[in-house]
Amino acid sequence: MFEFLARVFGRETTASKNVAKERLRLVLVHDRAGVSPQLMETLKNELIKVISNYLEIDEKALEVTLETNEDQVALVASIPVRGMKRVSRELVSGI
Amino acid sequence: MSEIIVVTSGKGGVGKTTTTANLGTGLASFGHKVVLVDADIGLRNLDVVMGLENRIVYDITDVTEGHCRLRQALIKDKRYEGLFLLPAAQTKDKTAVSPDQMKKLCADLAQEFEYVLIDCPAGIEQGFRNAIAGAQKAIVVTTPEVAAVRDADRVIGLLEAAELRNPALIINRIRPKMVRHGDMMGIEDIIDILAVDLLGVVPEDEQVVISTNRGEAVVCDERSRSGQAYRNIVRRIKGEAVPMMNLDDSGIFSRLRRIIGLR
Ligand SMILES: Nc1ncnc2c1ncn2[C@@H]1O[C@H](COP(=O)(O)OP(=O)(O)O)[C@@H](O)[C@H]1O
Ligand SMILES: [Mg+2]
């Protein structure tokens, strides 16, 4: 009933085309990432570069993936930290 | 100067063959020399859509294998002087023609015709790669459905990887009433997601089925909405700036409004 009223009054939230568009958007994030694995690889290497300025990390165990929840895609990175770099304070204060 | 254009989609059944037939017929109706190449080998279709199925003697593989000359395999259209079809082979599979053979074939056809339109098979495998091998431009056909748009996105990526940049999009089978009610993705939604140039929009229209039953192209039907849409696309291909057609026109309210002179 609410859905019916929402439609009558032009509320867009329940419109099936919005559901379609949202599903499409999510699935294309994965499709596009999957089609170019080199993109994910480049992203990973750049991440390593940036994070290594601050932290000592285990590069080999680093994992970067895209994960989908209900309605959003998240970039999930698991980055084992070996230690903290001493220079990090200087970097921060140097900004 | 000739143009070699492949019509592709990824997903099957979205209207590649219908589009190829109508754009080819439309271009020929403006007096251009046009050849349609059915690259859907093993699933020959374009001949029946064009109503030329009874005239086939040779097919595309007879040409590539040297059983006949290119001229002999071309079938002349019933209506237009300058329109020809090169039929697909029906008994061979998708590997019967190689990308190199396809390139040569397209180049040979471009010597004689102003427009070479290639009807691509569904999928992204060998048949797709063959069909796009000789093309200079690509038209991607989709429908307003999640699966079709997803496949279109994949195909656009593959086309760009094959140096066929900036493919033009045709959105087929749109139902203005459903779009208005929020129950079908509209033009903006799809363009927003695919980020490509829009070449045209063709409404869902019974007249397409009726014309296809007769082996005629709906583009010749002066009164049909889909025919009008195809004629607009043809003019855009020729380089004219034709505004997108107002699809909402067919609704009862806008018709009433027009009748009582509000528009
Ligand atoms: N705009 C349209 N309105 C109604 N039916 C259509 C429209 N476009 C295509 N069709 C129908 O959809 C079916 C599939 O079209 P076809 O051109 O054979 O697709 P494809 O070549 O992509 O597989 C055909 O039966 C065709 O008549
Ligand atoms: Mg087809």
Side-chain angles (χ1 to χ4, degrees), chain B residues 11 15 23 31 70 82 101 112 120 141 152 183 207 215 234 249-250 261:
Chain B
K11 194 171 183 304
L23 299 187
L70 181 51
Q101 287 173 326
E112 277 203 47
C120 185
V141 183
D183 275 327
Q207 212 55 48
V234 164
D249 235 17
S250 50

Side-chain angles (χ1 to χ4, degrees), chain B residues 12-18 172-173 202-205 208-209 212:
Chain B
V14 299
K16 289 176 294 298
T17 302
T18 307
N172 188 23
R173 308 194 79 156
V202 181
E204 170 81 28
D205 187 356
V208 171
V209 180
T212 308

Side-chain angles (χ1 to χ4, degrees), chain A residues 2-91:
Chain A
F2 174 73
E3 200 166 295
F4 172 75
L5 282 177
R7 276 199 194 196
V8 167
F9 294 110
R11 277 266 313 260
E12 284 264 299
T13 44
T14 46
S16 71
K17 79 145 197 187
N18 291 340
V19 180
K21 198 177 172 187
E22 196 52 27
R23 288 175 60 215
L24 197 48
R25 205 177 54 73
L26 292 180
V27 81
L28 288 186
V29 172
H30 284 273
D31 283 4
R32 287 174 183 174
V35 165
S36 79
Q38 71 266 38
L39 185 140
M40 292 302 282
E41 199 54 37
T42 313
L43 172 67
K44 199 166 136 180
N45 290 334
E46 302 253 307
L47 274 177
I48 291 173
K49 239 194 303 178
V50 172
I51 294 169
S52 298
N53 286 334
Y54 304 88
L55 303 167
E56 264 173 56
I57 58 172
D58 183 357
E59 295 185 14
K60 296 213 181 61
L62 181 139
E63 268 179 50
V64 179
T65 48
L66 292 171
E67 283 177 17
T68 313
N69 303 326
E70 281 277 291
D71 56 354
Q72 63 177 354
V73 179
L75 180 72
V76 179
S78 163
I79 311 169
V81 178
R82 284 223 190 97
M84 196 80 181
K85 290 203 174 174
R86 203 175 287 115
V87 288
S88 59
R89 281 189 67 195
E90 287 162 39
L91 277 177

